Amino acid sequence: MQSKLLTPEIKAFLISIGSVSIDPSLIPWSRGSTAGPGAGTSSVFFRSGKKRVRLSINKASPLSILKVEGEGGVGVFYQGKEIVRGKLEPAPAHCPDQAFITLCERCVFDCKYCPVPKLQGHVKSDEEVLNIIDEVLRAGNLKAISLTSGVETSVEGEVERVIKLLPALKKYNVPIGVSVYPTEGCSRKFYEAGASEVKYNVETMDREIFKNVCGDLSLDYILDRLREAVDVFGKNRVFSNFIIGLGESDDSVRDGIETLAQIGVIPVLRPVNPHPLRAGDCFTERPSPERLLKLAKLEAEILKKYRLDPGLAKTMCLKCTGCDLVPFIDF
């Protein structure tokens, strides 16, 4: 079969399923996800041309990755038909080309779609963090460092830990991204300590849904911290995960994107990842390929209006692009 590249339509289809079955012998070494709604899962990164997609590993998935002719070549198959061809990328620390590290795999908050509060995972020491970065450096894949975290005991404690850790990361001479639940004034402290970009997640811009699924948090508070961040880091350096599939309407997504873009924030439209530990806790539905394409194109129009470009990102999710359909990069 002639090689097929990863078009926006094919990537949207793959993301809408979100998983793949694969022979373990084909999988490059990687660390499983320990962050957010994807916590507790193992995944692979598939690259075709200049585009990539991340798929969690699931034996029951309708998608499969199989070896095909050519060195390092694999294909993604659906119902026995090859739909795209490419290669698998190593992800030594969560994603290719970055040391993307979850400092704390626990959280005192209880967002209803997120398994982290149920998993109550590991809290890494600073020594462990530096060892992971050194592993990625030795593998020749270190182009950025990205730090994210749950909340072990307090928001203030997580912020202070990052501020104290950042100076030790300057020696690697790569951009540093930080994604935590923010405190007032933390963006200036992150910037002065060496961070290049920040991501504070709104989760959803539908206020009713936010109240129901993230009731311990405040959307207005997060928006205020995002405004502060843009004042410090500038446009194209501040991002926010915006989950799709919690029951929000397309109109509310459009309004939410507009609100964020107006203040200089680039939204990351992240398909919800339903987790068995949160089954029944809230509505979750993986978005269809058609909806993913529609919303990504809508976002592209709004970002263009406000002169925002995800392609300028140096760290974190927008640099990786594996989990999302990203304007100006995927289409």
Side-chain angles (χ1 to χ4, degrees), residues 188-206:
R188 174 62 61 185
K189 295 176 182 178
F190 288 152
Y191 181 81
E192 291 176 351
S196 307
E197 299 172 331
V198 292
K199 179 160 68 72
Y200 307 147
N201 297 332
V202 294
E203 312 300 0
T204 177
M205 288 293 285
D206 183 302

Side-chain angles (χ1 to χ4, degrees), residues 113-173:
Y113 51 82
C114 182
V116 169
K118 304 287 187 181
L119 291 168
Q120 287 297 302
H122 181 56
V123 180
K124 296 180 181 69
S125 67
D126 289 357
E127 183 181 6
E128 286 178 274
V129 171
L130 295 174
N131 285 341
I132 292 170
I133 297 171
D134 287 337
E135 282 181 9
V136 181
L137 180 65
R138 286 193 296 269
N141 300 115
L142 186 65
K143 297 180 182 177
I145 297 169
S146 298
L147 304 177
T148 187
S149 187
V151 180
E152 183 181 12
T153 55
S154 72
V155 171
E156 293 78 10
E158 299 301 330
V159 167
E160 286 305 312
R161 181 184 174 185
V162 171
I163 291 168
K164 291 177 181 178
L165 179 61
L166 283 171
L169 308 184
K170 291 182 181 180
K171 66 180 182 180
Y172 295 100
N173 198 31

Side-chain angles (χ1 to χ4, degrees), residues 1-5 22-23 25-26 46-48 64-78 80-88:
M1 174 180 285
Q2 185 178 3
S3 177
K4 294 184 177 180
L5 293 177
I22 183 171
D23 184 328
S25 68
L26 296 177
F46 174 85
R47 187 175 188 91
S48 175
S64 59
I65 290 179
L66 301 173
K67 181 80 173 175
V68 295
E69 290 183 7
E71 185 177 352
V74 295
V76 180
F77 290 74
Y78 177 68
K81 179 181 178 182
E82 185 182 353
I83 57 174
V84 61
R85 184 172 293 194
K87 64 180 182 179
L88 295 173

Side-chain angles (χ1 to χ4, degrees), residues 62-300:
L63 297 174
S64 59
I65 290 179
L66 301 173
K67 181 80 173 175
V68 295
E69 290 183 7
E71 185 177 352
V74 295
V76 180
F77 290 74
Y78 177 68
Q79 295 182 341
K81 179 181 178 182
E82 185 182 353
I83 57 174
V84 61
R85 184 172 293 194
K87 64 180 182 179
L88 295 173
E89 294 185 285
H94 184 69
C95 70
D97 301 328
Q98 298 188 51
F100 203 144
I101 302 167
T102 304
L103 303 179
C104 171
E105 299 164 22
R106 303 179 183 181
C107 196
V108 297
F109 298 117
D110 189 28
C111 295
K112 301 304 180 186
Y113 51 82
C114 182
V116 169
K118 304 287 187 181
L119 291 168
Q120 287 297 302
H122 181 56
V123 180
K124 296 180 181 69
S125 67
D126 289 357
E127 183 181 6
E128 286 178 274
V129 171
L130 295 174
N131 285 341
I132 292 170
I133 297 171
D134 287 337
E135 282 181 9
V136 181
L137 180 65
R138 286 193 296 269
N141 300 115
L142 186 65
K143 297 180 182 177
I145 297 169
S146 298
L147 304 177
T148 187
S149 187
V151 180
E152 183 181 12
T153 55
S154 72
V155 171
E156 293 78 10
E158 299 301 330
V159 167
E160 286 305 312
R161 181 184 174 185
V162 171
I163 291 168
K164 291 177 181 178
L165 179 61
L166 283 171
L169 308 184
K170 291 182 181 180
K171 66 180 182 180
Y172 295 100
N173 198 31
V174 295
I176 303 169
V178 173
S179 178
V180 295
Y181 191 81
T183 58
E184 187 173 353
C186 70
S187 289
R188 174 62 61 185
K189 295 176 182 178
F190 288 152
Y191 181 81
E192 291 176 351
S196 307
E197 299 172 331
V198 292
K199 179 160 68 72
Y200 307 147
N201 297 332
V202 294
E203 312 300 0
T204 177
M205 288 293 285
D206 183 302
R207 289 184 176 273
E208 189 64 26
I209 293 174
F210 188 99
K211 182 174 68 174
N212 291 333
V213 303
C214 297
D216 295 331
L217 307 179
S218 166
L219 181 56
D220 287 324
Y221 177 87
I222 297 168
L223 290 171
D224 285 343
R225 303 291 79 76
L226 286 167
R227 291 186 184 95
E228 286 182 355
V230 174
D231 287 343
V232 173
F233 287 91
K235 287 187 173 183
N236 296 307
R237 296 287 169 254
V238 181
F239 321 121
S240 186
N241 279 11
F242 185 153
I243 297 174
I244 305 299
L246 295 175
E248 71 290 327
S249 68
D250 289 355
D251 286 343
S252 74
V253 174
R254 181 195 308 108
D255 293 344
I257 294 171
E258 184 96 27
T259 297
L260 291 167
Q262 278 180 331
I263 62 176
V265 175
I266 299 178
V268 181
L269 299 186
R270 173 63 47 80
V272 70
N273 186 40
H275 196 284
L277 287 177
R278 303 313 306 240
D281 287 357
C282 69
F283 176 87
T284 56
E285 182 179 76
R286 196 83 175 172
S288 69
E290 294 78 16
R291 188 175 190 219
L292 287 169
L293 281 165
K294 176 185 177 182
L295 295 179
K297 290 177 180 178
L298 184 156
E299 181 184 11

